[in-house]
Amino acid sequence: MKKLITLCLFAFALLCSTQNATAQNTLEINETANAKTKELRKKIKFEQNKMDDVYRAYQAYGIAYKKISGNLEGNKVRLEKIEKVLDEKLKTILTEEQFHNYLELIRGL
């Protein structure tokens, strides 16, 4: 009986720690997306309503990047695809001039 209770407590503790790690990753991604959105808004000067869309684009990028960040060398093709998707989303959100400025500032093109 003691072993069963100990096993249940161990399983519960493991379950709780897993949820905290996932929540922390999500929090980090959201903070990074928020910081990048604010930085981009300072440099490019886009409207408030576009800020939410840019934030969501960076949030999706952060989630995808987190999945492959353990092995960037082996996932170069996936990283390029993720960056291309981010660029395409931002191209639809920003004006042509703003997107051109984004490419110069962030991508160095």
Side-chain angles (χ1 to χ4, degrees):
M1 187 67 174
K2 287 182 180 181
K3 289 182 181 181
L4 182 61
I5 293 172
T6 304
L7 179 65
C8 290
L9 289 174
F10 178 73
F12 181 73
L14 184 62
L15 181 66
C16 289
S17 65
T18 303
Q19 290 175 348
N20 288 340
T22 304
Q24 189 170 5
N25 286 341
T26 304
L27 184 62
E28 289 174 6
I29 291 169
N30 291 343
E31 287 176 2
T32 304
N34 190 27
K36 287 184 178 184
T37 301
K38 287 181 179 180
E39 176 186 343
L40 194 60
R41 185 167 188 218
K42 285 180 186 176
K43 293 180 179 179
I44 297 181
K45 310 267 191 254
F46 51 84
E47 299 82 26
Q48 178 68 31
N49 60 352
K50 291 183 180 183
M51 192 170 176
D52 294 334
D53 295 333
V54 172
Y55 171 78
R56 279 190 234 107
Y58 270 114
Q59 192 177 33
Y61 171 81
I63 291 169
Y65 183 83
K66 192 75 166 179
K67 290 179 183 177
I68 66 165
S69 64
N71 183 14
L72 290 177
E73 290 296 319
N75 291 317
K76 284 184 179 181
V77 174
R78 289 182 71 190
L79 179 61
E80 290 174 4
K81 183 179 178 183
I82 291 168
E83 289 176 350
K84 184 178 179 183
V85 168
L86 174 65
D87 290 345
E88 288 173 0
K89 285 182 182 179
L90 291 177
K91 188 174 185 176
T92 62
I93 296 168
L94 302 172
T95 64
E96 188 174 327
E97 182 181 336
Q98 290 170 338
F99 183 70
H100 180 70
N101 290 341
Y102 158 78
L103 289 177
E104 286 181 351
L105 292 169
I106 304 301
R107 300 286 184 226
L109 300 174

